[in-house]
Amino acid sequence: RSSGTIFVWLFVAFIVLAVALGTLVGAGLPLLTALAGVAIGVLFTEFLARFIQMTSTATVLATMIGLAVGIDYALFIVTRFREELAAGREPGDAVAETMRRAGATVLFSAATVASALATLVVFPQGFLKSMGLAGAIVSLVAAAAAVPMPLSASTEALATAAIRRPRRCWCRQRGEVTARISGHIACS
């Protein structure tokens, strides 16, 4: 049942990413890199389960966390790359600038998530230890996959994909409305 739910969620995520990015290549890359990172991370977790006690829920939790952070990290990198291209950089220069800025941010974020999950190891309950360890491993591996994979695999495809120019849309208007509401709440 959980694998079917994950596939439905991945399909919905693909549709949302395709609409948001305006390109199928840009939408597929975060999903593919997240899946690759989760697969490697879960394999490593299963290998560790031969030596330490792991619960079955640890793998499910690690898969969910890995997919979420893997998609987020890869999407951040792809979006940053597209911004660099829109600013007029050549694809090679855009990759270098993206890795300089977004790559370091992603790795730092992954280390933060992994260290937070690893703190579950201090609790005496075995299921918390296994969830923390599995989640930390998969989040680090997902980040390690998200940093080089999206751009090395598809720099040319992303460079030739249509880059949407910023325009006034419902999401930007909603952001302005949200900012006004937040301002009124904060000042009252």
Side-chain angles (χ1 to χ4, degrees), residues 70-159:
I71 289 171
D72 185 41
Y73 296 154
L75 179 61
F76 182 62
I77 289 171
V78 168
T79 302
R80 183 72 183 157
F81 176 69
R82 293 183 68 186
E83 287 173 358
E84 293 297 328
L85 289 176
R89 292 189 190 271
E90 292 295 318
D93 295 335
V95 168
E97 187 65 19
T98 298
M99 288 299 105
R100 187 178 72 76
R101 292 183 173 182
T105 303
V106 164
L107 293 177
F108 180 78
S109 177
T112 304
V113 169
S115 63
L117 287 167
T119 59
L120 292 174
V121 174
V122 300
F123 292 100
Q125 295 86 0
F127 74 95
L128 287 177
K129 288 181 180 184
S130 64
M131 284 186 198
L133 187 59
I137 290 168
V138 171
S139 64
L140 285 174
V141 173
V147 171
M149 283 182 67
L151 300 182
S152 63
S154 62
T155 302
E156 205 57 43
L158 283 172

